[in-house]
Structures are given as C-alpha cells and as structure tokens.
Amino acid sequence: MMEVRRHNAGFCQPCFLKHCRDQVSRAIHDFDMLGPDDRVLVAVSGGKDSLALWDILLDLGYQADGLYLGLGIGAGRDGYSHTSGTFARDYAARRGATLIEVDIPTEFGFDIPTGAREAKRAPCSACGLSKRHLFNRAAVDGGYDVVATGHNLDDEAAVLFGNVLRWETAYLGRQAPVLPAAPGFARKIKPLVRLGEREMAAYCVLSGIDYIVEECPMAVGNKHLGYKDALNQIEVQSPGAKAAFYFLFLDRVSPMFSGIADEEREGLQPCAGCGSPTTGEWCAFCKLVAKVGGSGVGA
Ligand code: Q46
Ligand code: ZN
C-alpha cells in the first residue's frame, strides 16, 4: 500500500500507477501542454523523475523520444555521468524507445566541472545553461514540438520558495509548467508538477524501472536542497501545504509577473556563434564554450 498524505489516500500497486498517469494527464490537460500529434523530446538524466516521465508519456500514447546529455561529471566508469547514461540507455533498450545522445566533452571539448571552474561559475549554473541550450537546440534541429522535463512538485515548490525569498520577479514570471514556443524555441513543459518526489521513486520501484539513486555530486550544499528540506518540514505539519503554495501561486500570483517574461523574449537576435536566439551578440552557452577554450562554437 502506497500512502499519499497530500491526497489523504492509500493505493495498491495498479491503482498507484494509474494515479500517477492520471496526475500527468490532468497536468497536460489543465495547462494545455500537449496535443495528440506533438513530437516530444524528453530530457532524460537516468534519474527517477525523467525515466518515470518518459514511461508515463509512452504509456499515455505520446510520441516521446529521449535525449541524454553527457555532462562529464565524475571520473571513470563508476562516475556519475557514466552510470546515469547507462540507466538511460538500458531503459530505452528495454522499452524499445529512441534515445538521442549529446556528449558535451566529446562535442564541445570540456566537462561541466572544468567548464564551471574556468568560466568562474557555480557548477549548477554552467550545467543549467548548457542543458537549457542543448535541449532546446536538439528539439529545434530534430523537428520536435516540445521539450518535456522531469521537474516534480517538490522541485517546483523549492524553486518558487527560493525565488520568493529574494522576490526574483523575472524568474517568478517565467516559473510556469508551460513556456510557449517562440521563434527558435521549442515549447517547454513540466508534466510531473502534480506529483511529488516520493511518488516518482515509488512509481519507478513499482513499475520495475532501474534508475540512478545517487545524487549528482555537484548538488552538495546546493541552496535548492535546503529549500526542499524546509518545505518538507512544513509539509509534515500540514500535508498539502507544498501543493497549495505552488498551485495557488500559479493561479493567483504568476499572472502578475507574466508580462516580465514576455518582455524578455522580445528583441532577441541570432547568436553569432550558433544562431540560437539571444539578447547579446553571443548566447550564454557559446560564451561558456569560448571561456573554456572548448570546441564546437557555431557547429
Ligand atoms: S546535474 Fe547539473 Fe544538476 Fe549536477 S551539476 Fe547541478 S544542475 S546538480 S539537476
Ligand atoms: Zn550560441
């Protein structure tokens, strides 16, 4: 029996898997994320969230391919990136699904820890901008309509908490489960926003999906993890608080900031290196590649 306190409900195995699929269907419907003919590119890390998302989208009948990005984190065959790639490949092979791979060290000549150090950025900042850029580029180049990521309710509530603490209005304007397509940008969707971290781990265990349990070593000391802990403590006292915090924000507060996000997408021009839309002459990813002295700018 799997208990979900937020819903004050307990589920047997088949009902729990159905509950997860239903929550994803509801998110897709409520936020108008996907049409039946959309081609979806799922950002797959080898972790529980992205593999569960890919599984559920396939079960729901969507045309969903995976994209695995090699970040070069951790040395050797036991390193984080090597291991996470193995889980992504194994899942794709077992399910007969298509997995596209982009390996940053091979294609651009640097790994994320080195890139971050040489560009004097926090590792997660260098990693995040690389992921956003390369997922979008793969989607646009591959003719996909949508990039789907495995951000769950815990992730989104923690990001919201951090943005509210510092009243980051531009980020608040952008924090939606759907970012519409624009010239040079595929639509971005987060179909797991109605499901928590614990539910995603249970989904994988109950449906026999093997995933990398180890956290990325670069996440240690990350502020985001502290926000998750704080919200978990609140959730213990008041089940449902996390979902209320996030969904009432979307309903009542985020419309006030959406104009800021729209303004940010206006006045973009093609990056001199890769052609992706950007505010300056070079996009953040090409600047990172240039600082690290890597290869592939303009490729
Ligand atoms: S993979 Fe990349 Fe995460 Fe690792 S370096 Fe940070 S952002 S923690 S989701
Ligand atoms: Zn560029």
Side-chain angles (χ1 to χ4, degrees):
M1 180 73 80
M2 170 72 191
E3 276 186 40
V4 183
R5 285 188 69 202
R6 188 173 76 253
H7 293 292
N8 199 17
F11 299 95
C12 64
Q13 188 216 24
C15 289
F16 179 73
L17 298 180
K18 179 175 181 303
H19 155 78
C20 293
R21 286 192 295 272
D22 288 350
Q23 293 299 320
V24 170
S25 289
R26 188 166 158 198
I28 289 172
H29 174 265
D30 288 357
F31 297 106
D32 202 10
M33 291 181 177
L34 285 175
D37 299 323
D38 280 340
R39 290 186 66 219
V40 188
L41 190 61
V42 182
V44 179
S45 69
K48 60 184 186 329
D49 302 299
S50 55
L51 289 177
L53 170 62
W54 197 6
D55 197 60
I56 293 171
L57 290 178
L58 290 171
D59 283 348
L60 291 174
Y62 289 103
Q63 305 172 57
D65 294 343
L67 171 64
Y68 175 77
L69 211 53
L71 304 169
I73 295 174
R77 297 185 65 80
D78 297 332
Y80 175 76
S81 281
H82 188 272
T83 312
S84 57
T86 305
F87 283 105
R89 269 171 233 121
D90 286 354
Y91 173 80
R94 219 161 31 82
R95 182 85 205 214
T98 302
L99 181 70
I100 300 168
E101 294 197 45
V102 176
D103 189 58
I104 295 180
T106 310
E107 297 202 18
F108 299 98
F110 68 94
D111 57 49
I112 289 296
T114 308
R117 208 169 39 244
E118 295 193 6
K120 298 186 175 48
R121 294 188 85 117
C124 292
S125 149
C127 183
L129 78 84
S130 303
K131 286 192 214 172
R132 281 192 296 279
H133 176 83
L134 293 169
F135 288 146
N136 184 64
R137 185 157 144 190
V140 171
D141 290 352
Y144 291 90
D145 302 286
V146 188
V147 174
T149 55
H151 297 96
N152 60 39
L153 175 60
D154 295 62
D155 296 320
E156 291 304 287
V159 170
L160 176 59
F161 194 59
N163 286 338
V164 166
L165 281 178
R166 287 182 302 281
W167 292 111
E168 298 275 14
T169 48
Y171 290 135
L172 288 170
R174 244 183 277 138
Q175 204 188 339
V178 179
L179 274 183
F185 292 110
R187 191 184 331 140
K188 310 287 175 341
I189 63 169
K190 298 172 182 172
L192 298 184
V193 287
R194 301 190 55 85
L195 290 159
E197 203 154 285
R198 211 175 126 255
E199 286 160 280
M200 299 331 298
Y203 179 90
C204 287
V205 172
L206 294 175
S207 48
I209 296 174
D210 288 330
Y211 61 92
I212 184 161
V213 176
E214 182 198 337
E215 290 280 347
C216 170
M218 314 302 274
V220 178
N222 193 320
K223 276 191 200 139
H224 191 78
L225 292 181
Y227 299 149
K228 276 190 177 175
D229 287 344
L231 288 170
N232 283 339
Q233 284 181 28
I234 295 170
E235 184 78 15
V236 170
Q237 301 293 324
S238 348
K242 218 183 280 178
F245 177 54
Y246 178 63
F247 287 106
L248 291 176
F249 160 77
L250 291 181
D251 196 39
R252 298 179 188 171
V253 185
S254 95
M256 297 176 198
F257 297 111
S258 56
I260 299 174
D262 293 343
E263 278 168 27
E264 281 192 343
R265 280 190 163 192
E266 284 165 14
L268 298 179
Q269 56 186 31
C271 164
C274 68
S276 298
T278 184
T279 44
E281 192 185 352
W282 296 80
C283 75
F285 182 72
C286 286
K287 280 189 211 157
L288 175 69
V289 175
K291 276 191 190 147
V292 183
S295 53
V297 174

